[in-house]
Amino acid sequence: MTAVELTPPEAARWAARSGLVLPAERHAAVAAVADHIHGVVAVLRELDFADVPPAAAYRAGQEPHDATA
């Protein structure tokens, strides 16, 4: 997971700062989901995409339609 996990009170504070009303019974669940998302994004940031062309280089319909390519 993350080095410093989001606590339920911090989740409530961040929700309030963004103008969202977060009921008290949801604080722990929101904090857990936020920590999970942070962990997934951290893994994605570690991937090396150096040899992958940008999305603009992709042309739909020009790829082969069989499994041998």
Short mmCIF file of all heavy atoms in Angstrom, two decimals:
data_model
loop_
_atom_site.label_atom_id
_atom_site.label_comp_id
_atom_site.label_asym_id
_atom_site.label_seq_id
_atom_site.Cartn_x
_atom_site.Cartn_y
_atom_site.Cartn_z
N MET A 1 0.83 -1.18 0.00
CA MET A 1 0.00 0.00 0.00
C MET A 1 0.88 1.24 0.00
O MET A 1 1.98 1.23 -0.45
CB MET A 1 -0.87 0.01 1.25
CG MET A 1 -2.13 -0.78 1.19
SD MET A 1 -3.66 -0.17 0.96
CE MET A 1 -4.44 0.03 -0.30
N THR A 2 0.34 2.29 0.57
CA THR A 2 1.07 3.54 0.58
C THR A 2 1.92 3.64 1.83
O THR A 2 1.68 2.95 2.82
CB THR A 2 0.08 4.73 0.54
OG1 THR A 2 -0.74 4.66 1.70
CG2 THR A 2 -0.76 4.70 -0.71
N ALA A 3 2.92 4.50 1.79
CA ALA A 3 3.77 4.68 2.96
C ALA A 3 2.97 5.30 4.11
O ALA A 3 3.11 4.90 5.25
CB ALA A 3 4.95 5.56 2.60
N VAL A 4 2.13 6.26 3.80
CA VAL A 4 1.27 6.90 4.79
C VAL A 4 -0.15 6.76 4.29
O VAL A 4 -0.53 7.37 3.30
CB VAL A 4 1.64 8.39 4.98
CG1 VAL A 4 0.70 9.04 5.97
CG2 VAL A 4 3.08 8.52 5.42
N GLU A 5 -0.93 5.94 4.97
CA GLU A 5 -2.30 5.70 4.53
C GLU A 5 -3.21 6.84 4.97
O GLU A 5 -3.01 7.45 6.01
CB GLU A 5 -2.80 4.37 5.08
CG GLU A 5 -2.08 3.18 4.48
CD GLU A 5 -2.68 1.86 4.90
OE1 GLU A 5 -3.68 1.86 5.64
OE2 GLU A 5 -2.13 0.84 4.48
N LEU A 6 -4.22 7.08 4.17
CA LEU A 6 -5.22 8.10 4.47
C LEU A 6 -6.11 7.60 5.61
O LEU A 6 -6.62 6.49 5.55
CB LEU A 6 -6.07 8.36 3.22
CG LEU A 6 -7.10 9.47 3.30
CD1 LEU A 6 -6.42 10.83 3.43
CD2 LEU A 6 -7.98 9.44 2.06
N THR A 7 -6.26 8.40 6.62
CA THR A 7 -7.11 8.01 7.75
C THR A 7 -8.55 8.46 7.48
O THR A 7 -8.77 9.38 6.68
CB THR A 7 -6.62 8.66 9.06
OG1 THR A 7 -6.77 10.08 8.95
CG2 THR A 7 -5.17 8.30 9.35
N PRO A 8 -9.52 7.83 8.14
CA PRO A 8 -10.91 8.25 7.95
C PRO A 8 -11.15 9.74 8.24
O PRO A 8 -11.83 10.40 7.46
CB PRO A 8 -11.69 7.34 8.89
CG PRO A 8 -10.87 6.08 8.91
CD PRO A 8 -9.44 6.56 8.89
N PRO A 9 -10.58 10.30 9.32
CA PRO A 9 -10.78 11.75 9.53
C PRO A 9 -10.19 12.60 8.41
O PRO A 9 -10.76 13.62 8.04
CB PRO A 9 -10.08 12.03 10.87
CG PRO A 9 -10.06 10.71 11.57
CD PRO A 9 -9.92 9.68 10.49
N GLU A 10 -9.04 12.17 7.87
CA GLU A 10 -8.45 12.92 6.75
C GLU A 10 -9.33 12.83 5.51
O GLU A 10 -9.47 13.80 4.77
CB GLU A 10 -7.06 12.40 6.44
CG GLU A 10 -6.03 12.75 7.48
CD GLU A 10 -4.71 12.05 7.23
OE1 GLU A 10 -4.71 10.92 6.70
OE2 GLU A 10 -3.68 12.63 7.55
N ALA A 11 -9.93 11.66 5.27
CA ALA A 11 -10.84 11.50 4.13
C ALA A 11 -12.02 12.45 4.27
O ALA A 11 -12.44 13.09 3.30
CB ALA A 11 -11.31 10.06 4.03
N ALA A 12 -12.54 12.57 5.48
CA ALA A 12 -13.66 13.48 5.73
C ALA A 12 -13.24 14.93 5.51
O ALA A 12 -13.98 15.73 4.93
CB ALA A 12 -14.18 13.29 7.14
N ARG A 13 -12.04 15.25 5.96
CA ARG A 13 -11.55 16.63 5.79
C ARG A 13 -11.36 16.97 4.33
O ARG A 13 -11.75 18.04 3.86
CB ARG A 13 -10.23 16.79 6.55
CG ARG A 13 -9.69 18.22 6.54
CD ARG A 13 -8.49 18.36 7.46
NE ARG A 13 -7.52 17.30 7.28
CZ ARG A 13 -6.43 17.41 6.53
NH1 ARG A 13 -6.16 18.53 5.90
NH2 ARG A 13 -5.58 16.41 6.43
N TRP A 14 -10.77 16.05 3.55
CA TRP A 14 -10.58 16.29 2.12
C TRP A 14 -11.91 16.38 1.40
O TRP A 14 -12.08 17.19 0.48
CB TRP A 14 -9.70 15.21 1.49
CG TRP A 14 -8.26 15.43 1.78
CD1 TRP A 14 -7.50 14.78 2.71
CD2 TRP A 14 -7.39 16.38 1.16
NE1 TRP A 14 -6.22 15.27 2.70
CE2 TRP A 14 -6.13 16.26 1.74
CE3 TRP A 14 -7.58 17.33 0.17
CZ2 TRP A 14 -5.05 17.04 1.36
CZ3 TRP A 14 -6.49 18.11 -0.22
CH2 TRP A 14 -5.25 17.96 0.38
N ALA A 15 -12.88 15.57 1.78
CA ALA A 15 -14.21 15.64 1.17
C ALA A 15 -14.84 17.00 1.46
O ALA A 15 -15.40 17.64 0.56
CB ALA A 15 -15.09 14.51 1.69
N ALA A 16 -14.73 17.45 2.69
CA ALA A 16 -15.31 18.74 3.06
C ALA A 16 -14.63 19.88 2.30
O ALA A 16 -15.29 20.83 1.85
CB ALA A 16 -15.18 18.96 4.57
N ARG A 17 -13.31 19.79 2.13
CA ARG A 17 -12.58 20.83 1.40
C ARG A 17 -13.02 20.91 -0.05
O ARG A 17 -12.96 21.97 -0.67
CB ARG A 17 -11.07 20.56 1.44
CG ARG A 17 -10.46 20.88 2.78
CD ARG A 17 -8.98 20.74 2.73
NE ARG A 17 -8.42 21.72 1.78
CZ ARG A 17 -7.14 22.01 1.68
NH1 ARG A 17 -6.28 21.39 2.45
NH2 ARG A 17 -6.72 22.89 0.82
N SER A 18 -13.45 19.79 -0.62
CA SER A 18 -13.89 19.78 -2.01
C SER A 18 -15.39 20.04 -2.14
O SER A 18 -15.94 19.98 -3.24
CB SER A 18 -13.52 18.47 -2.68
OG SER A 18 -14.18 17.40 -2.07
N GLY A 19 -16.06 20.28 -1.01
CA GLY A 19 -17.47 20.61 -1.04
C GLY A 19 -18.40 19.42 -1.02
O GLY A 19 -19.58 19.55 -1.29
N LEU A 20 -17.89 18.25 -0.70
CA LEU A 20 -18.71 17.04 -0.64
C LEU A 20 -19.14 16.76 0.80
O LEU A 20 -18.33 16.84 1.72
CB LEU A 20 -17.93 15.84 -1.17
CG LEU A 20 -17.46 15.93 -2.62
CD1 LEU A 20 -16.57 14.75 -2.94
CD2 LEU A 20 -18.64 15.97 -3.55
N VAL A 21 -20.38 16.40 0.95
CA VAL A 21 -20.89 16.01 2.26
C VAL A 21 -20.67 14.51 2.40
O VAL A 21 -21.21 13.72 1.63
CB VAL A 21 -22.39 16.36 2.41
CG1 VAL A 21 -22.91 15.89 3.74
CG2 VAL A 21 -22.59 17.85 2.22
N LEU A 22 -19.86 14.11 3.35
CA LEU A 22 -19.53 12.71 3.54
C LEU A 22 -20.05 12.26 4.91
O LEU A 22 -19.54 12.68 5.95
CB LEU A 22 -18.00 12.52 3.47
CG LEU A 22 -17.46 11.12 3.48
CD1 LEU A 22 -17.99 10.31 2.30
CD2 LEU A 22 -15.94 11.15 3.44
N PRO A 23 -21.08 11.39 4.92
CA PRO A 23 -21.61 10.91 6.20
C PRO A 23 -20.52 10.18 7.00
O PRO A 23 -19.63 9.55 6.43
CB PRO A 23 -22.72 9.94 5.78
CG PRO A 23 -23.05 10.28 4.37
CD PRO A 23 -21.80 10.83 3.77
N ALA A 24 -20.61 10.27 8.31
CA ALA A 24 -19.60 9.69 9.19
C ALA A 24 -19.39 8.20 8.96
O ALA A 24 -18.25 7.71 9.04
CB ALA A 24 -19.98 9.94 10.65
N GLU A 25 -20.44 7.45 8.65
CA GLU A 25 -20.28 6.01 8.44
C GLU A 25 -19.54 5.68 7.15
O GLU A 25 -19.16 4.54 6.93
CB GLU A 25 -21.65 5.31 8.47
CG GLU A 25 -22.60 5.69 7.35
CD GLU A 25 -23.48 6.91 7.68
OE1 GLU A 25 -23.29 7.53 8.73
OE2 GLU A 25 -24.35 7.20 6.86
N ARG A 26 -19.30 6.65 6.29
CA ARG A 26 -18.59 6.42 5.03
C ARG A 26 -17.11 6.78 5.09
O ARG A 26 -16.35 6.47 4.18
CB ARG A 26 -19.24 7.24 3.90
CG ARG A 26 -20.70 6.98 3.64
CD ARG A 26 -20.93 5.68 2.90
NE ARG A 26 -20.03 5.49 1.81
CZ ARG A 26 -20.34 5.59 0.52
NH1 ARG A 26 -21.54 5.89 0.17
NH2 ARG A 26 -19.42 5.38 -0.40
N HIS A 27 -16.66 7.43 6.15
CA HIS A 27 -15.28 7.90 6.24
C HIS A 27 -14.27 6.77 6.05
O HIS A 27 -13.33 6.90 5.26
CB HIS A 27 -15.02 8.59 7.58
CG HIS A 27 -15.79 9.85 7.76
ND1 HIS A 27 -15.69 10.61 8.90
CD2 HIS A 27 -16.68 10.50 6.97
CE1 HIS A 27 -16.47 11.67 8.81
NE2 HIS A 27 -17.09 11.62 7.64
N ALA A 28 -14.45 5.66 6.75
CA ALA A 28 -13.49 4.56 6.66
C ALA A 28 -13.49 3.93 5.27
O ALA A 28 -12.42 3.62 4.72
CB ALA A 28 -13.81 3.50 7.72
N ALA A 29 -14.66 3.75 4.68
CA ALA A 29 -14.74 3.15 3.35
C ALA A 29 -14.08 4.03 2.31
O ALA A 29 -13.34 3.55 1.43
CB ALA A 29 -16.19 2.88 2.98
N VAL A 30 -14.32 5.32 2.37
CA VAL A 30 -13.71 6.25 1.41
C VAL A 30 -12.19 6.27 1.57
O VAL A 30 -11.46 6.27 0.59
CB VAL A 30 -14.32 7.66 1.57
CG1 VAL A 30 -13.55 8.69 0.76
CG2 VAL A 30 -15.78 7.64 1.14
N ALA A 31 -11.73 6.26 2.80
CA ALA A 31 -10.28 6.23 3.03
C ALA A 31 -9.66 4.95 2.46
O ALA A 31 -8.60 5.00 1.84
CB ALA A 31 -9.98 6.36 4.52
N ALA A 32 -10.31 3.82 2.65
CA ALA A 32 -9.79 2.55 2.13
C ALA A 32 -9.75 2.54 0.61
O ALA A 32 -8.76 2.09 0.00
CB ALA A 32 -10.65 1.39 2.65
N VAL A 33 -10.79 3.04 -0.02
CA VAL A 33 -10.82 3.08 -1.49
C VAL A 33 -9.76 4.05 -2.01
O VAL A 33 -9.06 3.75 -2.99
CB VAL A 33 -12.22 3.48 -2.00
CG1 VAL A 33 -12.21 3.76 -3.49
CG2 VAL A 33 -13.22 2.38 -1.69
N ALA A 34 -9.60 5.19 -1.38
CA ALA A 34 -8.58 6.15 -1.79
C ALA A 34 -7.18 5.54 -1.68
O ALA A 34 -6.34 5.72 -2.56
CB ALA A 34 -8.68 7.43 -0.97
N ASP A 35 -6.92 4.80 -0.61
CA ASP A 35 -5.63 4.14 -0.45
C ASP A 35 -5.41 3.09 -1.54
O ASP A 35 -4.31 2.95 -2.07
CB ASP A 35 -5.52 3.48 0.93
CG ASP A 35 -5.21 4.49 2.02
OD1 ASP A 35 -4.57 5.52 1.72
OD2 ASP A 35 -5.60 4.23 3.16
N HIS A 36 -6.46 2.35 -1.88
CA HIS A 36 -6.35 1.34 -2.93
C HIS A 36 -6.03 2.01 -4.28
O HIS A 36 -5.14 1.55 -5.00
CB HIS A 36 -7.63 0.53 -3.04
CG HIS A 36 -7.61 -0.44 -4.17
ND1 HIS A 36 -6.84 -1.58 -4.16
CD2 HIS A 36 -8.23 -0.41 -5.37
CE1 HIS A 36 -7.00 -2.21 -5.30
NE2 HIS A 36 -7.85 -1.52 -6.06
N ILE A 37 -6.74 3.06 -4.61
CA ILE A 37 -6.49 3.77 -5.86
C ILE A 37 -5.08 4.32 -5.89
O ILE A 37 -4.38 4.22 -6.91
CB ILE A 37 -7.53 4.90 -6.05
CG1 ILE A 37 -8.91 4.28 -6.30
CG2 ILE A 37 -7.14 5.83 -7.19
CD1 ILE A 37 -10.05 5.27 -6.26
N HIS A 38 -4.63 4.86 -4.78
CA HIS A 38 -3.26 5.39 -4.72
C HIS A 38 -2.24 4.27 -4.97
O HIS A 38 -1.25 4.47 -5.66
CB HIS A 38 -3.01 6.04 -3.36
CG HIS A 38 -1.71 6.74 -3.28
ND1 HIS A 38 -0.57 6.12 -2.84
CD2 HIS A 38 -1.35 8.00 -3.61
CE1 HIS A 38 0.44 6.97 -2.89
NE2 HIS A 38 0.00 8.11 -3.35
N GLY A 39 -2.50 3.09 -4.42
CA GLY A 39 -1.59 1.96 -4.63
C GLY A 39 -1.56 1.52 -6.08
O GLY A 39 -0.49 1.21 -6.63
N VAL A 40 -2.71 1.50 -6.75
CA VAL A 40 -2.76 1.11 -8.16
C VAL A 40 -2.02 2.14 -9.01
O VAL A 40 -1.24 1.79 -9.89
CB VAL A 40 -4.22 0.95 -8.62
CG1 VAL A 40 -4.31 0.79 -10.13
CG2 VAL A 40 -4.87 -0.24 -7.93
N VAL A 41 -2.25 3.41 -8.76
CA VAL A 41 -1.58 4.46 -9.53
C VAL A 41 -0.07 4.39 -9.31
O VAL A 41 0.71 4.59 -10.25
CB VAL A 41 -2.15 5.84 -9.18
CG1 VAL A 41 -1.33 6.97 -9.77
CG2 VAL A 41 -3.60 5.95 -9.64
N ALA A 42 0.36 4.09 -8.11
CA ALA A 42 1.79 3.98 -7.83
C ALA A 42 2.42 2.87 -8.66
O ALA A 42 3.53 3.03 -9.18
CB ALA A 42 2.03 3.73 -6.34
N VAL A 43 1.73 1.75 -8.82
CA VAL A 43 2.24 0.66 -9.65
C VAL A 43 2.30 1.10 -11.10
O VAL A 43 3.29 0.83 -11.80
CB VAL A 43 1.36 -0.60 -9.50
CG1 VAL A 43 1.72 -1.65 -10.53
CG2 VAL A 43 1.49 -1.17 -8.10
N LEU A 44 1.28 1.79 -11.58
CA LEU A 44 1.27 2.25 -12.97
C LEU A 44 2.39 3.24 -13.24
O LEU A 44 2.97 3.25 -14.33
CB LEU A 44 -0.08 2.89 -13.31
CG LEU A 44 -1.27 1.94 -13.34
CD1 LEU A 44 -2.56 2.72 -13.54
CD2 LEU A 44 -1.10 0.88 -14.42
N ARG A 45 2.72 4.05 -12.26
CA ARG A 45 3.81 5.02 -12.43
C ARG A 45 5.16 4.35 -12.59
O ARG A 45 6.09 4.93 -13.14
CB ARG A 45 3.84 5.99 -11.26
CG ARG A 45 2.72 6.99 -11.31
CD ARG A 45 2.83 7.98 -10.19
NE ARG A 45 1.79 8.99 -10.34
CZ ARG A 45 1.34 9.73 -9.37
NH1 ARG A 45 1.85 9.61 -8.15
NH2 ARG A 45 0.39 10.61 -9.57
N GLU A 46 5.29 3.12 -12.11
CA GLU A 46 6.56 2.40 -12.20
C GLU A 46 6.77 1.74 -13.57
O GLU A 46 7.87 1.31 -13.88
CB GLU A 46 6.63 1.33 -11.12
CG GLU A 46 6.68 1.89 -9.72
CD GLU A 46 6.63 0.82 -8.65
OE1 GLU A 46 6.67 -0.38 -9.00
OE2 GLU A 46 6.56 1.17 -7.48
N LEU A 47 5.73 1.67 -14.39
CA LEU A 47 5.84 1.02 -15.69
C LEU A 47 6.68 1.86 -16.65
O LEU A 47 6.60 3.08 -16.64
CB LEU A 47 4.45 0.77 -16.29
CG LEU A 47 3.56 -0.16 -15.51
CD1 LEU A 47 2.19 -0.23 -16.17
CD2 LEU A 47 4.17 -1.55 -15.42
N ASP A 48 7.44 1.18 -17.49
CA ASP A 48 8.28 1.85 -18.47
C ASP A 48 7.58 1.82 -19.82
O ASP A 48 7.42 0.76 -20.42
CB ASP A 48 9.65 1.17 -18.55
CG ASP A 48 10.57 1.83 -19.54
OD1 ASP A 48 10.32 3.00 -19.91
OD2 ASP A 48 11.55 1.18 -19.96
N PHE A 49 7.15 2.96 -20.31
CA PHE A 49 6.46 3.06 -21.59
C PHE A 49 7.36 3.66 -22.66
O PHE A 49 6.87 4.20 -23.65
CB PHE A 49 5.20 3.91 -21.45
CG PHE A 49 4.12 3.25 -20.63
CD1 PHE A 49 3.85 3.69 -19.36
CD2 PHE A 49 3.39 2.21 -21.15
CE1 PHE A 49 2.85 3.09 -18.60
CE2 PHE A 49 2.39 1.59 -20.40
CZ PHE A 49 2.13 2.04 -19.12
N ALA A 50 8.66 3.57 -22.50
CA ALA A 50 9.59 4.21 -23.42
C ALA A 50 9.43 3.76 -24.86
O ALA A 50 9.58 4.55 -25.78
CB ALA A 50 11.02 3.98 -22.95
N ASP A 51 9.13 2.48 -25.11
CA ASP A 51 9.03 1.99 -26.48
C ASP A 51 7.59 1.94 -27.00
O ASP A 51 7.34 1.43 -28.08
CB ASP A 51 9.67 0.61 -26.58
CG ASP A 51 8.99 -0.42 -25.69
OD1 ASP A 51 8.28 -0.01 -24.76
OD2 ASP A 51 9.17 -1.62 -25.92
N VAL A 52 6.65 2.49 -26.27
CA VAL A 52 5.25 2.49 -26.69
C VAL A 52 4.95 3.81 -27.40
O VAL A 52 5.20 4.88 -26.85
CB VAL A 52 4.31 2.31 -25.48
CG1 VAL A 52 2.86 2.38 -25.91
CG2 VAL A 52 4.61 1.02 -24.77
N PRO A 53 4.44 3.72 -28.65
CA PRO A 53 4.14 4.97 -29.35
C PRO A 53 2.96 5.70 -28.69
O PRO A 53 2.13 5.07 -28.03
CB PRO A 53 3.77 4.51 -30.76
CG PRO A 53 3.37 3.09 -30.61
CD PRO A 53 4.13 2.55 -29.44
N PRO A 54 2.87 7.01 -28.86
CA PRO A 54 1.75 7.75 -28.28
C PRO A 54 0.43 7.33 -28.91
O PRO A 54 0.39 6.77 -30.01
CB PRO A 54 2.08 9.21 -28.61
CG PRO A 54 3.04 9.15 -29.73
CD PRO A 54 3.78 7.85 -29.61
N ALA A 55 -0.66 7.59 -28.23
CA ALA A 55 -1.98 7.18 -28.70
C ALA A 55 -2.30 7.76 -30.07
O ALA A 55 -3.02 7.15 -30.86
CB ALA A 55 -3.03 7.59 -27.69
N ALA A 56 -1.77 8.92 -30.40
CA ALA A 56 -2.04 9.55 -31.69
C ALA A 56 -1.50 8.71 -32.84
O ALA A 56 -1.95 8.85 -33.99
CB ALA A 56 -1.45 10.95 -31.73
N ALA A 57 -0.54 7.83 -32.58
CA ALA A 57 0.04 6.99 -33.63
C ALA A 57 -0.84 5.79 -33.97
O ALA A 57 -0.65 5.15 -35.00
CB ALA A 57 1.42 6.51 -33.21
N TYR A 58 -1.82 5.48 -33.14
CA TYR A 58 -2.70 4.33 -33.36
C TYR A 58 -3.75 4.66 -34.41
O TYR A 58 -4.38 5.71 -34.37
CB TYR A 58 -3.39 3.93 -32.06
CG TYR A 58 -4.36 2.80 -32.21
CD1 TYR A 58 -3.92 1.50 -32.40
CD2 TYR A 58 -5.72 3.03 -32.21
CE1 TYR A 58 -4.81 0.44 -32.56
CE2 TYR A 58 -6.63 1.99 -32.37
CZ TYR A 58 -6.17 0.70 -32.54
OH TYR A 58 -7.04 -0.32 -32.71
N ARG A 59 -3.92 3.77 -35.37
CA ARG A 59 -4.92 3.94 -36.42
C ARG A 59 -5.87 2.76 -36.38
O ARG A 59 -5.51 1.64 -36.74
CB ARG A 59 -4.28 4.04 -37.79
CG ARG A 59 -3.34 5.20 -37.95
CD ARG A 59 -4.14 6.52 -38.07
NE ARG A 59 -3.23 7.63 -38.23
CZ ARG A 59 -3.07 8.59 -37.33
NH1 ARG A 59 -3.74 8.55 -36.21
NH2 ARG A 59 -2.25 9.57 -37.53
N ALA A 60 -7.09 2.99 -35.94
CA ALA A 60 -8.09 1.94 -35.85
C ALA A 60 -8.40 1.42 -37.25
O ALA A 60 -8.46 2.16 -38.21
CB ALA A 60 -9.36 2.47 -35.21
N GLY A 61 -8.58 0.12 -37.33
CA GLY A 61 -8.92 -0.50 -38.60
C GLY A 61 -7.73 -0.93 -39.42
O GLY A 61 -7.87 -1.59 -40.45
N GLN A 62 -6.51 -0.59 -39.04
CA GLN A 62 -5.32 -0.94 -39.79
C GLN A 62 -4.58 -2.14 -39.19
O GLN A 62 -3.59 -2.57 -39.74
CB GLN A 62 -4.37 0.24 -39.89
CG GLN A 62 -4.95 1.39 -40.69
CD GLN A 62 -4.01 2.58 -40.76
OE1 GLN A 62 -2.94 2.57 -40.14
NE2 GLN A 62 -4.38 3.58 -41.51
N GLU A 63 -5.07 -2.65 -38.09
CA GLU A 63 -4.42 -3.79 -37.45
C GLU A 63 -4.96 -5.09 -38.05
O GLU A 63 -6.09 -5.13 -38.51
CB GLU A 63 -4.60 -3.76 -35.94
CG GLU A 63 -6.01 -4.03 -35.47
CD GLU A 63 -6.91 -2.82 -35.50
OE1 GLU A 63 -6.44 -1.69 -35.75
OE2 GLU A 63 -8.12 -3.00 -35.30
N PRO A 64 -4.15 -6.15 -38.07
CA PRO A 64 -4.63 -7.43 -38.57
C PRO A 64 -5.71 -8.02 -37.66
O PRO A 64 -5.72 -7.76 -36.46
CB PRO A 64 -3.38 -8.31 -38.59
CG PRO A 64 -2.42 -7.65 -37.70
CD PRO A 64 -2.77 -6.20 -37.65
N HIS A 65 -6.59 -8.79 -38.23
CA HIS A 65 -7.71 -9.34 -37.46
C HIS A 65 -7.55 -10.81 -37.14
O HIS A 65 -8.51 -11.47 -36.77
CB HIS A 65 -9.02 -9.12 -38.21
CG HIS A 65 -9.38 -7.67 -38.34
ND1 HIS A 65 -9.87 -6.94 -37.30
CD2 HIS A 65 -9.26 -6.81 -39.38
CE1 HIS A 65 -10.09 -5.69 -37.68
NE2 HIS A 65 -9.72 -5.58 -38.94
N ASP A 66 -6.35 -11.36 -37.26
CA ASP A 66 -6.15 -12.75 -36.90
C ASP A 66 -5.16 -12.84 -35.75
O ASP A 66 -4.48 -11.89 -35.43
CB ASP A 66 -5.68 -13.57 -38.10
CG ASP A 66 -4.34 -13.10 -38.64
OD1 ASP A 66 -3.84 -12.08 -38.17
OD2 ASP A 66 -3.81 -13.77 -39.53
N ALA A 67 -5.09 -13.99 -35.15
CA ALA A 67 -4.25 -14.15 -33.96
C ALA A 67 -2.80 -14.44 -34.30
O ALA A 67 -1.98 -14.60 -33.42
CB ALA A 67 -4.81 -15.29 -33.10
N THR A 68 -2.44 -14.52 -35.58
CA THR A 68 -1.08 -14.86 -35.96
C THR A 68 -0.18 -13.65 -36.03
O THR A 68 1.03 -13.78 -36.12
CB THR A 68 -1.05 -15.56 -37.34
OG1 THR A 68 -1.60 -14.67 -38.33
CG2 THR A 68 -1.85 -16.85 -37.29
N ALA A 69 -0.70 -12.47 -35.98
CA ALA A 69 0.12 -11.26 -36.10
C ALA A 69 0.76 -10.87 -34.81
O ALA A 69 0.42 -11.21 -33.76
CB ALA A 69 -0.73 -10.11 -36.62
#
